[in-house]
Amino acid sequence: MSRRSFLFVLGSSRPDGNTESLARAAAEQLPADVGQTWISLLQHPLPDFEDLRHDADRVRPTEGAEALLLDATLAATDIVIVSPLYWYSVSAQTKRYLDHWAGWLRTPGLGFKERLAGRTLWGVTVLADDQPVVADPLVGTLHNSAAYLGMSFGGVLLGNGSKPGDVLGDTQALTRAKTFFAQEAPPARFLYDG
């Protein structure tokens, strides 16, 4: 894959929320030749994840939301998790998407881990707290997921807001959004790996 292609996975439980607004502000800075795919988990809900690893072989999904998200995930060079901070971590919809990664890892012939290795995972979140440290569990979830898959991790763009539109008043977040995707994304490493 020589041409960059971004997949934005929208994990909010409401459309056009603060987190999506911040992600779109960052995406506006991408060069015109960079592909962008936006998929809302609200509009394309995944079924609950069922762990079958000890019971049966998985079959590659061929239709519905799971097939759409799997194909889009595999086609992207950069995956952006766009999830508000819900109870100090990703939203339920986003967690379900990441849970499906566990099934895709065990789908015969898919090579999910090998295909994602070397790609980049990013995050965008908005929280209703003025202390960024409360987002550490969300950041850790994404960082460790990237480390497990051998991906690079571009970090998480943080914004502040609660009511719809609040993030548009967060001038620091909007300034960071202008260069967020231009930064170097180092290979993700578990903390115990140094």
Side-chain angles (χ1 to χ4, degrees):
M1 287 189 166
S2 57
R3 181 176 173 265
R4 288 182 81 187
S5 176
F6 278 68
L7 169 63
F8 292 85
V9 180
L10 305 176
S12 180
S13 59
R14 67 178 172 209
D16 305 318
N18 284 307
T19 305
E20 181 178 344
S21 295
L22 184 58
R24 290 195 183 274
E28 286 174 2
Q29 311 307 314
L30 290 170
D33 65 336
V34 172
Q36 295 184 33
T37 300
W38 294 76
I39 299 178
S40 166
L41 298 174
L42 187 62
Q43 294 175 355
H44 301 281
L46 286 164
D48 285 337
F49 174 69
E50 185 178 1
D51 186 353
L52 300 173
R53 69 186 134 160
H54 301 297
D55 301 323
D57 280 340
R58 287 214 160 258
V59 176
R60 182 187 174 115
T62 58
E63 59 185 30
E66 188 177 356
L68 172 73
L69 282 153
L70 171 58
D71 291 342
T73 300
L74 292 175
T77 59
D78 296 76
I79 300 166
V80 186
I81 301 297
V82 183
S83 173
L85 186 73
Y86 288 165
W87 285 104
Y88 311 103
S89 192
V90 295
S91 68
Q93 296 91 325
T94 302
K95 178 64 169 64
R96 186 176 296 119
Y97 167 66
L98 294 175
D99 285 346
H100 277 271
W101 286 16
W104 299 340
L105 280 165
R106 291 171 179 81
T107 301
L110 194 57
F112 187 76
K113 186 172 185 177
E114 295 78 15
R115 291 171 73 176
L116 260 61
R119 300 186 191 189
T120 304
L121 185 65
W122 308 83
V124 178
T125 192
V126 172
L127 50 147
D129 196 299
D130 59 2
Q131 296 298 319
V133 70
V134 302
D136 283 356
L138 180 147
V139 175
T141 293
L142 299 182
H143 178 264
N144 289 338
S145 297
Y148 179 77
L149 291 167
M151 300 175 77
S152 294
F153 183 58
V156 177
L157 175 60
L158 299 173
N160 189 273
S162 181
K163 297 188 307 280
D166 276 357
V167 75
L168 300 177
D170 185 345
T171 55
Q172 290 181 341
L174 294 174
T175 298
R176 287 190 302 270
K178 291 183 180 194
T179 58
F180 182 62
F181 293 126
Q183 68 183 342
E184 185 68 28
R189 299 283 181 260
F190 290 109
L191 290 178
Y192 57 76
D193 285 338

